[in-house]
Every structure is written in C-alpha cells, then in structure tokens.
Amino acid sequence: MLKRFVNVKDEEVGSVLLSFVYFFTLMCGYAILKPLRDEMATAGGVKNVAWVFTATFGVMLVAVPAFSALVARWPRQRVIPLVYRFFLLNLLGFFVVLKLGAVERALVARVFFVWVSVYNLFVVSIFWSFMADLFESEQGRRLFGFIASGGTVGMLVGPFLVNLLAESLGAVNLMLLTAVLLEVSAQSVRRLSHRSVVVRPRETAAEAPVGGGIFDGLRLLFSSPLLLGLGLQILLYAATSTFLYNQQAHIVASVASGADARTAAFANIDFWVQALTLVLQMVVAGRLMSRFGLGLVLAVAPLVTAIGSLWLALVPSMLVLIAFKSLRGATHYSLERPAREVLFTSVDREAKYKSKGFIDTVVYRGSDSVSSWLYTGLDKLGMSTSALSLATIPLAGLWLAVSLWLARLARQPRDSAPAATPALASPVDAAR
C-alpha cells in the first residue's frame, strides 16, 4: 500500500514507517502544547513577540553548545533519547508547578512560552539531523517528503485531541500525554539506530561519537559554502515568516472583531496550511525531487512568498491572506523543507549534528529576533500594511537566489567540489 504513494524499496519500508511514527509523535506532542502555550500567553500577559524571540535566542546560545558537547562524547543512540527525556522532565516540572500553583501564573506563562519555542525548534532539528545520518541523498529525495508528512498528521491530530479532551481532563493534564509521546519518540530513536545497518549499510561508524569541540559546528558553518548557504536560506525564510506573521496579526485584527472571531480566523489558516501540506508531502514531494531535482523544489516557496507578498500589498484582505499563507506554508513544509534536509545528507556527521543544530535554532531564532525588532521599528515609523508587505519581496528574492545556488552546489560532482568545503564529504566518500 505504501508503494502506491511513495517510491520506497522493500528493505526501506520498516525504517520509513518508523521514521513516520517518530515525527508524528514529536509534532503531535508539540501541537498539544501549542494551544496551552497560547492560552497561558494571553492570560499571563505575553504580548511583545520581539522580546519573546530575543529571550528564545539567548537560550539557544546556551543550548546548542551543550548539545554539541554531548554528541562529541557519546553516540547518537544515547544522546538523542537523553535530550528528549531532559525535555520530558522539564515538562513534568511545569505540570507540577501549574498543579500546585506555587508560582505566579504570569511568570510561569512567560517561561513556558520561551521553553516551548526552544523545545519545538530543538527536537525537530535533532530529528532531521538523525534522518540525514540514517538515509543517503538518493533515499532522502524519494522518502523525506513522506516522512515529513508524519509531522503534518501529528499537527492535525494534536489539536483534535485538545478539543476532545481539554474540558473533560483539563488542559494542564494534557502535558502528560505529550510526555508519553516524547518517550515514544525516544524509543523510536533506539529502534531506528538498530535498523541503520539496513538503511545505510556503508556507514560503519554511525554509532560512534561525533567527536570534535563544542564550537566546531560554527567553524564548519563558515568554512563550507554549502553550510553557509543553508544558514542564509534559514535566515531569509525566518525573516519573511516574521514579517508575514506580523502582517497576519494586523489584517486579522482589522477584519475580525472579538477573541472568538480572531481565534476562528487563525484556526482557518492553520487548517488549510496543514491540509495542503499533507497532500503535497504524501503524493507530490518525493516524485518532484526525484524527477526534477532540488532546484525546482527549493525555488517554489520563495517564489510563492514574493508573488504572495505583492498580492497582499495590492489586496490586503482576509481571503488573500488565507490563500497566501496556505500556499506558502504547504510549499515550505512539503517541498522546500524536505529538499533542504536532503542537502544535509551530503555533509559529514559533525556538520549534521553541530552545524545543523546551530543553523536550525540559533540562526533561525536570531533572524526572528532581529526581524521582529525591524518590523516593530518600521511599523512605528508609520509604514502602511501594503508597504510592509512590499518590504518582504526583496528578502524573498534573496531567498530564491540562495536556494538556486544551493541546488547548483548539490549538482557539483564530489571530486570537483572546492577545496575549502571540508563538510561536503562524508567519511565514507573520503575513504572511497
């Protein structure tokens, strides 16, 4: 049945399905926490998004070197479950504090908001680092779209469970369900590690510690054109996302009166993003990457962003916003994100677990923070909603240029790659 939708080989089926379940549990758990975070933020006074992004960025500056130190000394099948169980203990701590009511709820809300923002980026980055370590580039082109759809299904199931259980069980008690799902994710890592001999048979040192120093991820980032391009791509994606997020808040506030109407508007956008994403991930993504290569797939999301920003500037309406956000979100999560993760399959293990973590977390939240303050400044200067939408177009153009450059790098023969790109070759390629 799986072969009707995905170009998967018999020996890959077990690992692909287990990877699907792994990503499903991660994102379903996050989707359960997200409404609780938003409700606490509203009740607890978390209003300034720029300050929240800045605080998250500060936490990332500490967390990423700590993770690099762990993977330098211990193998992945120990480190990844350890990180997930660390977050699990954090979650149980929040549960106890909220149940006992020993700390002012407004303070808990601010800390929880930042924690969830760190948690989401960190666990997803680790997931894709692990996938890039398990699967080779050719496999990623065929399979990463379907594997990514596990997360999309989780993002659809999570809110359904919250709607079904929140009133009867209590919203805070649903934290325990996320804890259970996080433990399933940790167990999936262990089982997939045991299957790695099937997925990547030539990788003889996959279970060994990565080695190196805790800041080597940053050093590799600036020594490899591929990694630097991936960092720029994330920076520009995050910047355009922040501008669009603020545009969304302005437009929804202008057309929807009352908390219930605004909530319904946001839910409508989220539903169409996830629905379109799921269709593209399960049916289209793998076939497009295999047939047309990464260039076309990487170019779709920035093109949609540029055209949609122009459309939103000319017609700043709710209907245009929903169409734009849905198409952009769907093309990013189903096409651009899996294609970007395929590029990480071609770098060495140190870059996968250190540089990738830095790019996905520190660079991402750093761009969020700077973009939020920039948007706030432009808004206070009196720029109109249309003008702010137009300001997104040059960023989307740069994002498109970087994406096409990355696709060209990916097509370069390995033996003709520039000498200053040590992270492009894996240990196996070097041995050959």
Side-chain angles (χ1 to χ4, degrees):
M1 289 182 63
L2 183 62
K3 288 184 176 180
R4 294 180 181 178
F5 302 99
V6 187
N7 182 15
V8 60
K9 299 176 182 177
D10 290 339
E11 64 272 17
E12 298 167 338
V13 170
S15 295
V16 168
L17 291 177
L18 190 54
S19 299
F20 180 96
V21 171
Y22 174 12
F23 202 27
F24 167 83
T25 56
L26 274 186
M27 299 313 295
C28 185
Y30 167 68
I32 290 171
L33 293 179
K34 189 172 181 291
L36 179 60
R37 179 200 68 177
D38 294 341
E39 187 279 327
M40 290 176 63
T42 302
V46 179
K47 298 176 181 178
N48 194 322
V49 174
W51 281 111
V52 171
F53 284 154
T54 302
T56 305
F57 175 63
V59 174
M60 290 297 189
L61 290 176
V62 177
V64 171
F67 178 72
S68 295
L70 289 175
V71 296
R73 289 163 177 79
W74 288 299
R76 68 189 184 192
Q77 72 269 27
R78 289 185 61 189
V79 172
I80 298 176
L82 179 67
V83 171
Y84 287 166
R85 285 164 183 151
F86 171 76
F87 281 114
L88 192 157
L89 290 175
N90 293 170
L91 193 58
L92 293 178
F94 280 114
F95 173 78
V96 171
V97 168
L98 289 169
K99 279 294 187 181
L100 294 178
V103 181
E104 184 183 355
R105 189 175 177 86
L107 177 60
V108 177
R110 292 185 180 94
V111 175
F112 188 69
F113 198 102
V114 173
W115 181 86
V116 172
S117 300
V118 172
Y119 164 83
N120 179 38
L121 283 183
F122 215 81
V123 298
V124 172
S125 177
I126 291 173
F127 168 82
W128 283 114
S129 292
F130 188 43
M131 291 297 104
D133 207 11
L134 282 179
F135 295 95
E136 293 180 336
S137 180
E138 184 275 331
Q139 292 174 306
R141 292 168 189 260
R142 291 185 289 109
L143 306 174
F144 277 7
F146 176 78
I147 291 173
S149 70
T152 305
V153 175
M155 290 296 292
L156 290 169
V157 172
F160 171 77
L161 292 175
V162 173
N163 289 331
L164 183 67
L165 302 173
E167 292 188 10
S168 58
L169 296 182
V172 173
N173 292 327
L174 294 181
M175 287 182 172
L176 299 178
L177 180 55
T178 295
V180 172
L181 291 169
L182 197 51
E183 177 58 27
V184 175
S185 299
Q187 294 294 331
S188 299
V189 173
R190 182 181 60 83
R191 294 192 63 183
L192 278 166
S193 293
H194 293 161
R195 298 183 64 92
S196 63
V197 67
V198 176
V199 181
R200 184 170 251 188
R202 295 193 300 272
E203 186 68 79
T204 58
E207 301 306 326
V210 171
I214 64 173
F215 297 109
D216 283 352
L218 184 59
R219 175 184 58 80
L220 290 171
L221 174 62
F222 289 103
S223 64
S224 165
L226 178 63
L227 292 174
L228 190 59
L230 287 165
L232 289 172
Q233 188 190 41
I234 279 287
L235 187 149
L236 292 165
Y237 165 71
T240 55
S241 297
T242 302
F243 267 65
L244 183 57
Y245 179 84
N246 284 281
Q247 290 294 90
Q248 172 183 284
H250 278 289
I251 292 173
V252 170
S254 66
V255 299
S257 58
D260 292 339
R262 288 193 296 271
T263 301
F266 289 129
N268 195 19
I269 292 170
D270 288 342
F271 171 79
W272 285 110
V273 169
Q274 300 301 332
L276 284 173
T277 298
L278 184 61
V279 172
L280 291 175
Q281 283 172 333
M282 298 194 73
V283 180
V284 177
R287 289 177 170 83
L288 277 181
M289 279 190 276
S290 297
R291 183 170 182 180
F292 297 106
L294 299 180
L296 174 66
V297 179
L298 288 169
V300 175
L303 274 175
V304 168
T305 300
I307 295 170
S309 296
L310 178 59
W311 189 16
L312 197 62
L314 297 174
V315 188
S317 68
M318 193 67 193
L319 183 61
V320 172
L321 176 66
I322 291 174
F324 177 24
K325 282 273 293 184
S326 300
L327 287 171
R328 174 189 151 95
T331 54
H332 167 68
Y333 290 113
S334 63
L335 300 176
E336 193 253 358
R337 179 68 190 261
R340 179 163 58 84
E341 302 304 342
V342 168
L343 292 174
F344 277 107
T345 62
S346 64
V347 304
D348 65 21
R349 299 186 70 235
E350 193 169 16
K352 286 171 185 170
Y353 286 100
K354 294 181 182 180
S355 299
K356 178 171 169 49
F358 184 86
I359 291 169
D360 287 346
T361 57
V362 175
V363 173
Y364 191 108
R365 280 307 179 211
S367 178
D368 273 344
S369 179
V370 173
S371 302
S372 294
W373 288 113
L374 177 60
Y375 186 95
T376 301
L378 293 174
D379 189 38
K380 288 184 176 179
L381 288 174
M383 286 188 70
S384 65
T385 300
S386 295
L388 289 167
S389 292
L390 291 173
T392 310
I393 297 176
L395 295 175
L398 287 173
W399 179 17
L400 175 61
V402 171
S403 297
L404 294 176
W405 178 57
L406 282 171
R408 189 169 62 109
L409 275 180
R411 289 195 301 269
Q412 276 189 336
R414 230 18 108 66
D415 54 3
S416 66
T421 57
L424 284 173
S426 71
V428 177
D429 293 323
R432 286 206 298 259

